[in-house]
Amino acid sequence: MRLTNMSDYAVRLLIYLGSHRDRLCTIAEIAQVYGISEPHLMKITHRLAQRGWIRTVRGKNGGMELAHEPGKIRLGALIRDMENDLALVECMGTDNHCILSGCCGLKPIVAGAMQAFMDHLDAHTLADVIPPFPPAAIRIAPERVAAGGLTTAA
């Protein structure tokens, strides 16, 4: 299973906010730290705010903050909210045209794997993934930008 960039970036954004609980953070600063385009991050911020994960404040001194304590934000709930399609195989989706439907045993096996995956995520909160150092100490290594990887600042 692979999560979308939207889920990945949403978790990164919440990690950043969870590491900077003392102030409002801006899209521009988070985009710069993580090397994510501002328009893409704006779309994710909008969705997180709509769904109640973050609070936003408009204006000159505006920004965003977590709407809940990090220990109250279940990773499974966040991923379910951010992913548009968790149907790992066609027969699990709403537009099922698989000719094997009804005679194949794959669907319950994959559904069980997905349930175990989500149960594992549900057992963890944002507090479990916030690093001991602030994400502002993270820098993008030029050779890893193409791969989407982050490294810690030296």
Side-chain angles (χ1 to χ4, degrees):
M1 163 159 199
R2 182 180 176 107
L3 297 177
T4 62
N5 282 343
M6 184 169 231
S7 292
D8 181 17
Y9 295 165
V11 172
R12 292 184 200 194
L13 186 144
L14 294 183
I15 287 171
Y16 192 91
L17 297 179
S19 297
H20 296 87
R21 303 271 299 156
D22 58 327
R23 64 182 177 83
L24 295 176
C25 301
T26 66
I27 289 173
E29 74 181 89
I30 297 170
Q32 182 179 8
V33 167
Y34 290 139
I36 301 169
S37 78
E38 286 188 40
H40 192 65
L41 198 56
M42 195 173 302
K43 177 181 172 185
I44 293 165
T45 299
H46 181 72
R47 185 163 177 171
L48 288 169
Q50 277 186 322
R51 301 275 169 65
W53 297 105
I54 63 173
R55 279 190 290 272
T56 59
V57 177
R58 292 180 176 223
K60 185 177 187 243
N61 296 315
M64 65 186 113
E65 63 185 357
L66 292 177
H68 311 281
E69 291 296 319
K72 301 279 186 191
I73 298 175
R74 294 263 161 220
L75 296 179
L78 175 65
I79 296 303
R80 282 183 196 90
D81 222 7
M82 298 307 293
E83 288 293 320
N84 291 322
D85 184 8
L86 288 172
L88 297 181
V89 289
E90 181 182 348
C91 59
M92 292 176 73
T94 55
D95 192 25
N96 179 17
H97 298 291
C98 180
I99 62 170
L100 298 176
S101 289
C103 64
C104 170
L106 182 62
K107 182 178 180 178
I109 294 169
V110 172
M114 173 59 82
Q115 187 62 50
F117 176 70
M118 296 311 293
D119 288 346
H120 187 73
L121 288 176
D122 284 334
H124 297 281
T125 68
L126 181 64
D128 296 326
V129 297
I130 293 175
F133 55 88
I138 296 174
R139 67 172 168 79
I140 307 278
E143 64 276 6
R144 296 195 60 201
V145 169
L150 297 177
T151 59
T152 56

